[in-house]
Amino acid sequence: MTSDTILSFQYKLLDWYGSNARVLPWRDNPSPYRVWISEIMLQQTRVEAVIPYFERFLAEVPTVRDLAALPEDRLMKLWQGMGYYSRARNLKRAACILTEQYNGELPSDRKALQALPGIGPYPSGAIASIAFGAAEPAVDGNVLRVLARITGNRQDLKDRQTRKELEDLAVK
């Protein structure tokens, strides 16, 4: 795939997004904290289910420092019903680290983000690109399927080498 083809596809995709993007509460103010909370909540959970949790969570826990200071029992109550409680515990652990080491701010560097509990390759790419405007990919299963289709790659997407090849395309 040539650079011109990739660039053309990127512009078409951005145009489509501009016309079709859903209105979501974390998009109206994509601060690093809001993007981080939304990305963690959206893991293994449908968007429609996350919206009321996100709004309630941000109303009560509007900053990293507030999250770091939040008692665990209150955190679990706010998270109740979303499942995967390790996500909430990792949020709190990461908030404590951010408060102690980063003055309550999320770092813009993808590698520094990935060093925090609960932030893997996809959320770090999403946070870096959405909140900080960095040219970083956020590659999940959906993105891998799209990349495989547009490149004609019929290899198994569970294969590590295939995933790596497609992820490398997303960086271009």
Side-chain angles (χ1 to χ4, degrees):
M1 187 172 266
T2 68
S3 294
D4 287 343
T5 303
I6 291 170
L7 192 60
S8 173
F9 180 76
Q10 289 171 337
Y11 284 123
K12 287 177 184 177
L13 187 58
L14 288 170
D15 284 343
W16 178 90
Y17 178 80
S19 301
N20 296 284
R22 291 186 279 183
V23 175
L24 298 169
W26 44 86
R27 288 185 179 158
D28 64 358
N29 174 16
S31 71
Y33 179 70
R34 291 170 61 89
V35 172
W36 172 42
I37 298 299
S38 69
E39 288 299 331
I40 300 305
M41 285 184 167
L42 287 164
Q43 292 173 356
Q44 305 292 320
T45 309
R46 293 179 51 237
V47 169
E48 295 77 21
V50 167
I51 292 171
Y53 284 94
F54 177 83
E55 290 173 336
R56 185 172 56 245
F57 193 91
L58 268 284
E60 187 165 334
V61 191
T63 70
V64 171
R65 290 182 190 283
D66 293 325
L67 178 54
L70 188 69
E72 187 168 336
D73 61 332
R74 185 62 192 144
L75 174 63
M76 291 301 115
K77 189 70 173 164
L78 285 170
W79 203 267
Q80 188 175 353
M82 286 213 331
Y84 302 97
Y85 290 91
S86 63
R87 293 181 296 170
R89 287 184 192 93
N90 282 332
L91 278 172
K92 169 116 172 122
R93 288 177 48 220
C96 291
I97 292 167
L98 290 168
T99 298
E100 293 167 8
Q101 298 178 17
Y102 292 93
N103 198 31
E105 301 291 330
L106 275 89
S108 60
D109 178 71
R110 185 178 185 153
K111 290 193 186 320
L113 287 164
Q114 284 187 36
L116 295 167
I119 301 182
Y122 179 84
S124 67
I127 295 164
S129 63
I130 297 167
F132 295 106
E136 292 286 356
V139 180
D140 64 0
N142 292 325
V143 171
L144 287 173
R145 285 188 287 281
V146 168
L147 289 171
R149 286 181 189 134
I150 65 171
T151 60
N153 188 324
R154 299 191 191 289
Q155 301 300 315
D156 182 3
L157 295 180
K158 293 177 184 170
D159 177 72
R160 196 165 76 174
Q161 182 60 35
T162 301
R163 291 178 71 90
K164 173 85 171 93
E165 289 170 12
L166 292 171
E167 287 170 357
D168 287 348
L169 273 178
V171 175
K172 291 184 179 180

